[in-house]
């Protein structure tokens, strides 16, 4: 895991959002492959939520992916979380499909 994270940081795929030198949110976007970039992870600590930091960092990594040449930017979200879904639609994401993972064991 440490090597994966170090690679993403080295490629500038992870963005740490700070306010007055204090980290308040982070998000990642992959370098485009075949014109497609994927956003994730996106996280804002509970104490920092509802201040626009998640929106700002999500928009920033989306913009970065487009600047890198992505013609499509994907973001998977939990449909049961209306807050994150509202944020993503506010910055331009649109629902395309629903997916479910089912494990049989």
């Amino acid at each position: 895991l440490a090597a994966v994270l170090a690679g993403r940081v080295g490629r500038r795929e992870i963005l740490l959002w700070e306010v007055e030198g204090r980290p308040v949110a982070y998000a990642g976007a992959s370098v485009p492959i075949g014109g497609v970039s994927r956003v994730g992870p996106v996280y804002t600590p509970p104490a920092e939520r509802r201040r626009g930091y998640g929106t700002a960092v999500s928009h920033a990594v989306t913009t970065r992916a487009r600047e890198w040449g992505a013609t499509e930017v994907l973001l998977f979200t939990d449909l049961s979380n209306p807050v994150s879904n509202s944020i993503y639609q506010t910055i331009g994401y649109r629902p395309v499909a629903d997916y479910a993972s089912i494990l049989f064991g």
Side-chain angles (χ1 to χ4, degrees), residues 17-33:
W17 199 261
E18 295 179 323
V19 172
E20 298 176 1
R22 176 174 57 85
V24 295
Y26 69 88
S30 64
V31 172
I33 297 174

Side-chain angles (χ1 to χ4, degrees), residues 4-16 27-32 37 60-62 64-65 67-68:
V4 171
L5 183 57
R8 292 197 75 190
V9 169
R11 291 185 302 275
R12 301 188 64 219
E13 292 182 354
I14 302 292
L15 180 63
L16 181 65
S30 64
V31 172
S37 180
V61 295
T62 300
R64 179 179 283 177
E67 290 170 350
W68 285 340

Side-chain angles (χ1 to χ4, degrees), residues 67-83:
E67 290 170 350
W68 285 340
T71 55
E72 292 186 45
V73 182
L74 308 176
L75 189 152
F76 288 86
T77 185
D78 181 354
L79 291 176
S80 68
N81 185 335
V83 174

Side-chain angles (χ1 to χ4, degrees), residues 35-98:
V36 179
S37 180
R38 180 174 176 189
V39 169
V42 176
Y43 181 73
T44 304
E48 304 297 344
R49 293 179 185 166
R50 302 200 188 289
R51 298 177 188 179
Y53 304 142
T55 302
V57 76
S58 297
H59 185 268
V61 295
T62 300
T63 299
R64 179 179 283 177
R66 301 289 279 179
E67 290 170 350
W68 285 340
T71 55
E72 292 186 45
V73 182
L74 308 176
L75 189 152
F76 288 86
T77 185
D78 181 354
L79 291 176
S80 68
N81 185 335
V83 174
S84 64
N85 287 290
S86 173
I87 288 169
Y88 300 139
Q89 289 185 33
T90 296
I91 63 174
Y93 285 91
R94 297 291 171 250
V96 175
D98 295 342

